[in-house]
Amino acid sequence: MGSRGAAAASAHEPAGRDLLLSHGIPPELAKSAALGGREAWEEFLELDTLLTAIGDGADERLAYQMGYPVTVQKTQNAQK
């Protein structure tokens, strides 16, 4: 791809980031829309880092949620 094609291909990346931001996507996630041209392993590494951060807080979230148990009442229709 020539330089003109490369420029055209990357011109949408900042617009994609701006679109995501305008729809409430956090900046740290929306930035990936403007990081085109990366190798696939770099994308997976960033995804792995994000998922690890989410998983790292799981114990605390579950402990918090256990403090607010949910009680489900059976209806007559559900007992049939």
Coordinates of all heavy atoms in Angstrom, one line a residue:
M1 N 0.9 -1.2 0.0 CA 0.0 0.0 0.0 C 0.9 1.2 0.0 O 1.8 1.3 0.8 CB -0.9 0.0 1.2 CG -1.9 1.1 1.3 SD -2.9 1.1 2.8 CE -3.7 -0.5 2.8
G2 N 0.6 2.2 -0.8 CA 1.4 3.4 -0.9 C 1.1 4.3 0.3 O 0.3 4.0 1.1
S3 N 1.9 5.4 0.3 CA 1.7 6.3 1.5 C 0.4 6.9 1.5 O -0.2 7.2 2.5 CB 2.8 7.4 1.5 OG 2.7 8.1 0.3
R4 N -0.2 7.2 0.3 CA -1.5 7.7 0.3 C -2.6 6.7 0.8 O -3.4 7.1 1.6 CB -1.9 8.1 -1.2 CG -3.2 8.8 -1.3 CD -3.5 9.2 -2.7 NE -4.9 9.8 -2.7 CZ -5.5 10.1 -3.8 NH1 -4.9 9.9 -5.0 NH2 -6.7 10.5 -3.8
G5 N -2.4 5.5 0.4 CA -3.3 4.5 1.0 C -3.2 4.3 2.5 O -4.1 4.1 3.2
A6 N -1.9 4.3 2.9 CA -1.7 4.1 4.4 C -2.3 5.3 5.2 O -2.9 5.1 6.2 CB -0.2 4.0 4.6
A7 N -2.2 6.5 4.6 CA -2.7 7.7 5.3 C -4.3 7.6 5.3 O -4.9 7.9 6.3 CB -2.3 9.0 4.6
A8 N -4.9 7.1 4.2 CA -6.3 7.0 4.2 C -6.8 5.9 5.2 O -7.8 6.1 5.8 CB -6.8 6.7 2.8
A9 N -6.0 4.8 5.2 CA -6.4 3.7 6.1 C -6.3 4.1 7.6 O -7.1 3.7 8.4 CB -5.5 2.5 5.9
S10 N -5.4 5.0 7.9 CA -5.2 5.4 9.3 C -6.0 6.6 9.7 O -6.2 7.0 10.9 CB -3.7 5.6 9.7 OG -3.3 6.7 8.9
A11 N -6.6 7.3 8.7 CA -7.4 8.5 9.0 C -8.6 8.2 9.8 O -9.1 9.1 10.6 CB -7.8 9.2 7.7
H12 N -9.2 7.0 9.7 CA -10.4 6.7 10.5 C -10.1 6.4 11.9 O -11.0 6.4 12.8 CB -11.1 5.5 9.8 CG -10.3 4.2 10.0 ND1 -9.3 3.9 9.3 CD2 -10.5 3.2 10.9 CE1 -8.8 2.7 9.7 NE2 -9.5 2.3 10.7
E13 N -8.9 6.1 12.3 CA -8.6 5.7 13.6 C -8.9 6.7 14.7 O -9.6 6.4 15.7 CB -7.1 5.2 13.7 CG -6.9 3.9 12.9 CD -5.5 3.6 12.6 OE1 -4.6 4.4 13.0 OE2 -5.3 2.6 12.0
P14 N -8.4 8.0 14.6 CA -8.8 9.0 15.5 C -10.4 9.2 15.6 O -10.9 9.4 16.6 CB -8.1 10.3 15.1 CG -7.0 9.8 14.3 CD -7.5 8.5 13.6
A15 N -11.0 9.1 14.4 CA -12.5 9.3 14.4 C -13.1 8.2 15.1 O -14.1 8.4 15.8 CB -12.9 9.3 12.9
G16 N -12.6 6.9 15.0 CA -13.1 5.8 15.8 C -13.0 6.0 17.3 O -14.0 5.8 18.0
R17 N -11.9 6.5 17.7 CA -11.7 6.8 19.1 C -12.7 7.9 19.6 O -13.3 7.7 20.6 CB -10.2 7.3 19.4 CG -10.0 7.6 20.8 CD -8.7 8.4 21.1 NE -8.8 9.7 20.4 CZ -8.0 10.1 19.5 NH1 -6.9 9.5 19.2 NH2 -8.2 11.3 19.0
D18 N -12.8 8.9 18.8 CA -13.7 10.0 19.2 C -15.2 9.5 19.2 O -15.9 9.9 20.1 CB -13.6 11.2 18.2 CG -12.3 11.9 18.3 OD1 -11.6 11.7 19.3 OD2 -11.9 12.6 17.3
L19 N -15.5 8.6 18.3 CA -16.9 8.0 18.3 C -17.1 7.2 19.6 O -18.2 7.3 20.2 CB -17.1 7.2 17.1 CG -18.4 6.5 16.9 CD1 -19.6 7.5 16.8 CD2 -18.5 5.5 15.8
L20 N -16.2 6.4 19.9 CA -16.3 5.6 21.1 C -16.4 6.5 22.4 O -17.2 6.2 23.2 CB -15.1 4.6 21.3 CG -15.1 3.5 20.2 CD1 -13.7 2.7 20.3 CD2 -16.2 2.6 20.3
L21 N -15.6 7.5 22.5 CA -15.6 8.4 23.6 C -17.0 9.1 23.7 O -17.5 9.3 24.8 CB -14.5 9.5 23.5 CG -13.1 9.0 23.7 CD1 -12.1 10.1 23.3 CD2 -12.9 8.5 25.1
S22 N -17.6 9.5 22.5 CA -18.8 10.2 22.5 C -20.0 9.3 23.0 O -21.0 9.8 23.4 CB -19.1 10.8 21.1 OG -19.5 9.7 20.2
H23 N -19.7 8.0 22.9 CA -20.8 7.0 23.4 C -20.5 6.5 24.8 O -21.0 5.4 25.2 CB -20.9 5.9 22.4 CG -21.7 6.2 21.2 ND1 -21.1 6.9 20.1 CD2 -23.0 6.1 20.9 CE1 -22.0 7.1 19.2 NE2 -23.2 6.6 19.6
G24 N -19.6 7.2 25.5 CA -19.3 6.8 26.9 C -18.3 5.7 27.2 O -18.2 5.3 28.3
I25 N -17.6 5.3 26.1 CA -16.5 4.3 26.3 C -15.3 5.0 27.0 O -14.9 6.1 26.6 CB -16.1 3.7 25.0 CG1 -17.2 3.1 24.2 CG2 -14.9 2.7 25.2 CD1 -17.9 2.0 25.0
P26 N -14.8 4.4 28.1 CA -13.7 5.0 28.8 C -12.5 5.3 27.9 O -12.2 4.4 27.0 CB -13.4 4.0 29.9 CG -14.6 3.2 30.1 CD -15.2 3.1 28.7
P27 N -11.8 6.4 28.1 CA -10.6 6.7 27.3 C -9.6 5.6 27.2 O -9.0 5.3 26.1 CB -10.0 7.9 27.9 CG -11.1 8.5 28.7 CD -12.0 7.4 29.1
E28 N -9.4 4.8 28.3 CA -8.3 3.8 28.2 C -8.8 2.6 27.3 O -7.9 1.9 26.8 CB -8.0 3.2 29.6 CG -9.2 2.6 30.4 CD -10.0 3.6 31.2 OE1 -9.8 4.8 31.0 OE2 -10.9 3.2 31.9
L29 N -10.0 2.5 27.0 CA -10.5 1.5 26.1 C -10.6 2.0 24.7 O -10.3 1.4 23.7 CB -11.9 0.9 26.5 CG -11.9 0.1 27.8 CD1 -13.3 -0.3 28.2 CD2 -10.9 -1.0 27.8
A30 N -11.1 3.3 24.6 CA -11.3 3.9 23.3 C -10.0 4.2 22.6 O -9.9 4.2 21.3 CB -12.0 5.2 23.5
K31 N -8.9 4.3 23.3 CA -7.6 4.5 22.7 C -7.2 3.4 21.7 O -6.5 3.7 20.7 CB -6.5 4.7 23.7 CG -6.1 3.4 24.4 CD -4.9 3.7 25.3 CE -4.6 2.3 26.0 NZ -3.5 2.4 26.9
S32 N -7.7 2.2 21.9 CA -7.3 1.1 21.0 C -7.8 1.4 19.6 O -7.2 0.8 18.6 CB -7.8 -0.2 21.5 OG -9.2 -0.2 21.6
A33 N -8.8 2.2 19.4 CA -9.3 2.5 18.1 C -8.3 3.3 17.3 O -8.4 3.3 16.1 CB -10.7 3.2 18.2
A34 N -7.4 4.0 18.0 CA -6.5 4.9 17.3 C -5.1 4.3 17.3 O -4.1 4.9 16.9 CB -6.4 6.2 18.0
L35 N -5.0 3.0 17.6 CA -3.7 2.4 17.6 C -3.5 1.4 16.5 O -2.9 0.3 16.7 CB -3.5 1.7 19.0 CG -3.5 2.6 20.2 CD1 -3.4 1.7 21.5 CD2 -2.4 3.6 20.1
G36 N -4.0 1.7 15.3 CA -4.0 0.7 14.2 C -2.5 0.4 13.8 O -1.6 1.1 14.2
G37 N -2.4 -0.7 13.1 CA -1.1 -1.1 12.6 C -0.3 -1.9 13.6 O 0.9 -2.2 13.3
R38 N -0.8 -2.3 14.7 CA -0.1 -3.1 15.7 C -0.2 -4.6 15.3 O -1.1 -5.0 14.6 CB -0.7 -2.9 17.1 CG -0.5 -1.5 17.6 CD -0.8 -1.3 19.0 NE -1.8 -2.1 19.6 CZ -2.2 -2.0 20.9 NH1 -1.6 -1.2 21.7 NH2 -3.2 -2.8 21.3
E39 N 0.8 -5.3 15.7 CA 0.8 -6.7 15.5 C -0.4 -7.4 16.3 O -0.7 -6.9 17.4 CB 2.1 -7.3 15.9 CG 3.3 -6.8 15.1 CD 3.2 -7.3 13.6 OE1 2.7 -8.4 13.4 OE2 3.7 -6.6 12.8
A40 N -0.9 -8.5 15.9 CA -1.9 -9.2 16.6 C -1.5 -9.6 18.0 O -2.3 -9.4 18.9 CB -2.3 -10.5 15.8
W41 N -0.3 -10.0 18.2 CA 0.1 -10.4 19.6 C 0.1 -9.2 20.5 O -0.2 -9.3 21.7 CB 1.5 -11.0 19.6 CG 2.7 -10.1 19.2 CD1 3.2 -9.9 18.0 CD2 3.4 -9.2 20.1 NE1 4.2 -9.0 18.0 CE2 4.3 -8.5 19.3 CE3 3.3 -9.0 21.5 CZ2 5.2 -7.6 19.9 CZ3 4.2 -8.0 22.0 CH2 5.1 -7.4 21.2
E42 N 0.3 -8.0 20.0 CA 0.2 -6.8 20.8 C -1.2 -6.5 21.2 O -1.5 -6.1 22.4 CB 0.8 -5.5 20.0 CG 2.3 -5.6 19.8 CD 2.8 -4.5 19.0 OE1 2.3 -4.3 17.8 OE2 3.6 -3.7 19.5
E43 N -2.1 -6.8 20.3 CA -3.6 -6.6 20.7 C -4.0 -7.6 21.8 O -4.6 -7.2 22.7 CB -4.4 -6.8 19.4 CG -4.2 -5.8 18.3 CD -4.6 -4.4 18.7 OE1 -5.4 -4.2 19.6 OE2 -4.2 -3.5 18.0
F44 N -3.5 -8.8 21.6 CA -3.9 -9.9 22.6 C -3.2 -9.6 23.9 O -3.8 -9.9 25.0 CB -3.5 -11.3 22.1 CG -4.5 -11.8 21.1 CD1 -4.2 -11.9 19.8 CD2 -5.8 -12.1 21.5 CE1 -5.1 -12.3 18.8 CE2 -6.7 -12.5 20.6 CZ -6.4 -12.7 19.2
L45 N -2.0 -9.0 23.9 CA -1.3 -8.7 25.1 C -2.1 -7.6 25.9 O -2.3 -7.7 27.1 CB 0.1 -8.2 24.8 CG 1.0 -7.8 26.1 CD1 1.1 -9.0 27.0 CD2 2.3 -7.3 25.6
E46 N -2.5 -6.6 25.2 CA -3.3 -5.6 25.8 C -4.7 -6.1 26.4 O -5.1 -5.8 27.5 CB -3.6 -4.4 24.8 CG -4.4 -3.3 25.5 CD -4.5 -2.0 24.6 OE1 -3.7 -1.9 23.7 OE2 -5.4 -1.2 24.9
L47 N -5.3 -7.0 25.6 CA -6.5 -7.6 26.1 C -6.3 -8.5 27.3 O -7.0 -8.4 28.3 CB -7.1 -8.5 25.0 CG -8.4 -9.3 25.3 CD1 -9.5 -8.4 25.8 CD2 -8.8 -10.2 24.2
D48 N -5.2 -9.2 27.3 CA -4.8 -10.0 28.5 C -4.6 -9.2 29.7 O -5.0 -9.5 30.8 CB -3.6 -10.9 28.1 CG -3.2 -11.8 29.3 OD1 -4.0 -12.7 29.6 OD2 -2.1 -11.6 29.9
T49 N -3.9 -8.0 29.5 CA -3.7 -7.1 30.6 C -5.0 -6.6 31.2 O -5.2 -6.5 32.4 CB -2.8 -6.0 30.1 OG1 -1.5 -6.5 29.6 CG2 -2.5 -5.0 31.3
L50 N -5.9 -6.2 30.3 CA -7.2 -5.7 30.7 C -8.0 -6.8 31.5 O -8.5 -6.5 32.6 CB -8.0 -5.2 29.5 CG -9.5 -4.8 29.8 CD1 -9.5 -3.6 30.7 CD2 -10.2 -4.5 28.5
L51 N -8.0 -8.0 30.9 CA -8.8 -9.1 31.6 C -8.2 -9.5 32.9 O -8.9 -9.8 33.8 CB -8.9 -10.3 30.6 CG -9.7 -10.0 29.4 CD1 -9.7 -11.2 28.4 CD2 -11.2 -9.6 29.7
T52 N -6.8 -9.4 33.0 CA -6.2 -9.7 34.2 C -6.6 -8.7 35.3 O -6.8 -9.1 36.5 CB -4.6 -9.7 34.1 OG1 -4.3 -10.8 33.1 CG2 -3.9 -10.0 35.4
A53 N -6.6 -7.4 34.9 CA -7.0 -6.4 35.9 C -8.4 -6.6 36.3 O -8.7 -6.4 37.5 CB -6.9 -5.0 35.2
I54 N -9.3 -7.0 35.4 CA -10.7 -7.3 35.8 C -10.8 -8.4 36.8 O -11.4 -8.4 37.8 CB -11.6 -7.5 34.6 CG1 -11.7 -6.2 33.8 CG2 -12.9 -8.1 35.0 CD1 -12.4 -6.4 32.4
G55 N -10.0 -9.5 36.5 CA -10.0 -10.7 37.3 C -9.4 -10.5 38.7 O -9.8 -11.1 39.7
D56 N -8.4 -9.6 38.7 CA -7.7 -9.4 40.0 C -8.7 -8.8 41.1 O -8.4 -9.1 42.3 CB -6.6 -8.4 39.8 CG -5.4 -9.0 39.1 OD1 -5.3 -10.3 39.1 OD2 -4.5 -8.3 38.7
G57 N -9.7 -8.1 40.7 CA -10.6 -7.6 41.7 C -11.8 -8.5 42.0 O -12.7 -8.1 42.7
A58 N -11.8 -9.7 41.4 CA -13.0 -10.5 41.5 C -13.3 -10.9 42.9 O -14.5 -10.9 43.4 CB -12.9 -11.8 40.6
D59 N -12.3 -11.3 43.7 CA -12.6 -11.7 45.1 C -13.2 -10.6 45.9 O -14.2 -10.9 46.7 CB -11.2 -12.1 45.8 CG -10.7 -13.4 45.2 OD1 -11.4 -14.2 44.6 OD2 -9.5 -13.7 45.4
E60 N -12.7 -9.4 45.8 CA -13.3 -8.3 46.5 C -14.8 -8.0 46.1 O -15.6 -7.8 46.9 CB -12.5 -7.0 46.4 CG -11.1 -7.1 47.0 CD -10.1 -7.8 46.2 OE1 -10.3 -8.0 44.9 OE2 -9.0 -8.2 46.7
R61 N -15.0 -8.1 44.8 CA -16.4 -7.9 44.3 C -17.3 -8.9 44.8 O -18.5 -8.7 45.2 CB -16.4 -7.8 42.8 CG -15.8 -6.5 42.2 CD -16.1 -6.4 40.7 NE -15.7 -7.5 39.9 CZ -14.4 -7.7 39.4 NH1 -13.5 -6.8 39.7 NH2 -14.1 -8.7 38.7
L62 N -16.9 -10.2 44.7 CA -17.8 -11.3 45.2 C -18.0 -11.2 46.7 O -19.1 -11.4 47.2 CB -17.1 -12.6 44.9 CG -17.1 -13.0 43.4 CD1 -16.3 -14.3 43.1 CD2 -18.5 -13.2 42.9
A63 N -17.0 -10.8 47.5 CA -17.2 -10.7 48.9 C -18.2 -9.6 49.2 O -19.1 -9.7 50.1 CB -15.8 -10.4 49.6
Y64 N -18.1 -8.5 48.5 CA -19.0 -7.4 48.6 C -20.5 -7.8 48.3 O -21.4 -7.6 49.1 CB -18.6 -6.2 47.8 CG -19.6 -5.0 47.8 CD1 -19.6 -4.1 48.8 CD2 -20.6 -4.9 46.8 CE1 -20.5 -3.1 48.8 CE2 -21.5 -3.8 46.8 CZ -21.4 -2.9 47.8 OH -22.3 -1.9 47.8
Q65 N -20.6 -8.5 47.2 CA -21.9 -9.0 46.8 C -22.5 -10.0 47.8 O -23.8 -10.0 47.9 CB -21.9 -9.6 45.4 CG -21.6 -8.5 44.3 CD -21.3 -9.1 42.9 OE1 -21.2 -10.4 42.8 NE2 -21.1 -8.3 42.0
M66 N -21.7 -10.8 48.4 CA -22.2 -11.7 49.4 C -22.8 -11.0 50.6 O -23.6 -11.6 51.3 CB -21.1 -12.7 49.8 CG -20.6 -13.6 48.8 SD -21.9 -14.7 48.2 CE -22.2 -15.7 49.7
G67 N -22.5 -9.8 50.8 CA -23.1 -9.0 51.9 C -24.5 -8.6 51.6 O -25.2 -8.1 52.4
Y68 N -25.0 -8.8 50.3 CA -26.3 -8.4 49.9 C -27.0 -9.6 49.2 O -27.2 -9.6 48.0 CB -26.3 -7.2 49.0 CG -25.6 -6.0 49.6 CD1 -24.2 -5.8 49.5 CD2 -26.4 -5.1 50.4 CE1 -23.6 -4.7 50.1 CE2 -25.7 -4.0 51.0 CZ -24.4 -3.9 50.9 OH -23.8 -2.8 51.5
P69 N -27.4 -10.6 50.0 CA -27.9 -11.8 49.3 C -29.3 -11.5 48.7 O -30.0 -10.6 49.1 CB -28.1 -12.8 50.5 CG -28.1 -12.0 51.7 CD -27.3 -10.7 51.4
V70 N -29.6 -12.2 47.6 CA -30.8 -12.1 46.9 C -31.7 -13.2 47.3 O -31.3 -14.4 47.2 CB -30.6 -12.0 45.4 CG1 -31.9 -12.0 44.6 CG2 -29.7 -10.9 45.0
T71 N -33.0 -13.0 47.6 CA -33.9 -14.0 47.9 C -35.0 -14.0 46.8 O -35.5 -13.0 46.4 CB -34.7 -13.7 49.2 OG1 -33.7 -13.6 50.3 CG2 -35.6 -14.8 49.6
V72 N -35.2 -15.2 46.3 CA -36.1 -15.4 45.2 C -37.3 -16.1 45.7 O -37.2 -17.2 46.3 CB -35.5 -16.2 44.0 CG1 -36.5 -16.4 42.9 CG2 -34.3 -15.5 43.5
Q73 N -38.5 -15.5 45.5 CA -39.8 -16.1 46.0 C -40.3 -16.9 44.8 O -40.4 -16.5 43.7 CB -40.7 -15.0 46.4 CG -40.3 -14.3 47.6 CD -41.3 -13.2 48.0 OE1 -42.3 -13.0 47.4 NE2 -41.0 -12.5 49.1
K74 N -40.8 -18.1 45.1 CA -41.4 -19.0 44.1 C -42.8 -18.6 44.0 O -43.5 -18.2 44.9 CB -41.3 -20.4 44.6 CG -40.0 -21.0 44.6 CD -40.0 -22.5 44.9 CE -38.6 -23.1 44.9 NZ -38.7 -24.5 45.1
T75 N -43.3 -18.6 42.7 CA -44.7 -18.3 42.5 C -45.4 -19.7 42.3 O -44.8 -20.7 42.1 CB -44.9 -17.5 41.2 OG1 -44.4 -18.2 40.1 CG2 -44.1 -16.1 41.3
Q76 N -46.7 -19.7 42.3 CA -47.5 -20.9 42.2 C -47.2 -21.5 40.8 O -47.1 -22.7 40.7 CB -49.0 -20.6 42.3 CG -49.3 -20.3 43.8 CD -50.8 -20.1 43.9 OE1 -51.5 -19.8 43.0 NE2 -51.3 -20.3 45.2
N77 N -47.1 -20.7 39.7 CA -46.8 -21.2 38.4 C -45.4 -21.9 38.3 O -45.3 -22.9 37.6 CB -46.9 -20.1 37.4 CG -48.3 -19.6 37.2 OD1 -49.3 -20.3 37.5 ND2 -48.4 -18.4 36.7
A78 N -44.5 -21.4 39.1 CA -43.1 -22.0 39.0 C -43.1 -23.3 39.7 O -42.2 -24.1 39.4 CB -42.1 -21.0 39.6
Q79 N -44.0 -23.6 40.6 CA -44.0 -24.9 41.4 C -44.6 -26.0 40.6 O -44.4 -27.2 40.9 CB -44.8 -24.7 42.7 CG -44.1 -23.7 43.6 CD -44.9 -23.5 44.9 OE1 -46.0 -23.9 45.0 NE2 -44.3 -22.8 45.8
K80 N -45.2 -25.8 39.5 CA -45.9 -26.9 38.7 C -44.8 -27.6 37.9 O -43.9 -27.2 37.4 CB -46.9 -26.3 37.7 CG -48.1 -25.8 38.5 CD -49.1 -25.2 37.5 CE -50.3 -24.7 38.3 NZ -51.3 -24.2 37.4

